[in-house]
Amino acid sequence: QQKVQQSPESLSVPEGGMASLNCTSSDRNFQYFWWYRQHSGEGPKALMSIFSDGDKKEGRFTAHLNKASLHVSLHIRDSQPSDSALYFCAASGTSGGSNAKLTFGKGTKLSVKS
Amino acid sequence: EAAVTQSPRNKVTVTGGNVTLSCRQTNSHNYMYWYRQDTGHGLRLIHYSYGAGNLQIGDVPDGYKATRTTQEDFFLLLELASPSQTSLYFCASSDAYAEQFFGPGTRLTVL
């Protein structure tokens, strides 16, 4: 079973619109969450991290974490064509020797149409 | 910004061949990682290391060996390559609990 599940698999939004991406973990050991973004032909790049319950805002990007349900979301306000990319949710644990490793979801492909 | 380089960028080999993928990071990060990326599977961790001489098993290690010779250099070895190992391979580095910085990737084709 995939320990980090993302939805939807793909998403299309108009330029200037709001994009909402979801991620759920099935492993209670996962307490730290990251969002990574990968443009075509490049390696993934960290977008933001969220470790505490609630919202975290960075510019047009807002992440929300609910640790009780192990659900994290990413909302992109005023979406731009340059936001078109593959978005990964990743999670890590809080204790033990393996807590430095990340487990990634399968990704959500976002297309922003101008 | 963190710099992670990979070589070669593209590699074609035949079934049963030996392949070595190289990764170097110049940011004094303790941790280095090897991932493979396949459509429908996302990024999957093969092996990782937290220092020279150290090796940790990832989630999909079968058919792969890795070696960390220095803090900067991490190698992935495929000693008997199979078509199922055709993939896009990424190396990354980080400090513990911190952002991982990825290289540009190596596209490997096993015929």
Side-chain angles (χ1 to χ4, degrees), chain A residues 55-101:
Chain A
D55 292 336
K56 181 178 182 181
K57 185 177 180 181
E58 292 186 3
R60 296 185 293 109
F61 300 86
T62 300
H64 176 81
L65 174 60
N66 181 325
K67 282 194 174 183
S69 60
L70 292 180
H71 181 264
V72 61
S73 58
L74 178 69
H75 304 278
I76 307 173
R77 171 178 59 83
D78 188 24
S79 297
Q80 300 298 308
S82 59
D83 294 327
S84 297
L86 186 57
Y87 289 77
F88 290 107
C89 172
S92 67
T94 59
S95 63
S98 62
N99 57 2
K101 73 172 198 173

Side-chain angles (χ1 to χ4, degrees), chain A residues 25-71:
Chain A
S25 171
S26 60
D27 190 334
R28 285 256 161 229
N29 289 318
F30 289 160
Q31 292 287 300
Y32 299 155
F33 293 87
W34 291 81
W35 284 99
Y36 281 75
R37 181 168 72 176
Q38 183 182 28
H39 285 110
S40 181
E42 299 178 2
K45 187 172 182 179
L47 201 54
M48 60 192 303
S49 62
I50 185 165
F51 300 161
S52 301
D53 276 325
D55 292 336
K56 181 178 182 181
K57 185 177 180 181
E58 292 186 3
R60 296 185 293 109
F61 300 86
T62 300
H64 176 81
L65 174 60
N66 181 325
K67 282 194 174 183
S69 60
L70 292 180
H71 181 264

Side-chain angles (χ1 to χ4, degrees), chain A residues 1-38:
Chain A
Q1 180 191 6
Q2 188 85 6
K3 289 188 174 182
V4 176
Q5 295 177 302
Q6 291 185 241
S7 64
E9 289 186 12
S10 62
L11 177 64
S12 182
V13 300
E15 183 175 357
M18 173 76 82
S20 296
L21 290 68
N22 297 294
C23 174
T24 301
S25 171
S26 60
D27 190 334
R28 285 256 161 229
N29 289 318
F30 289 160
Q31 292 287 300
Y32 299 155
F33 293 87
W34 291 81
W35 284 99
Y36 281 75
R37 181 168 72 176
Q38 183 182 28

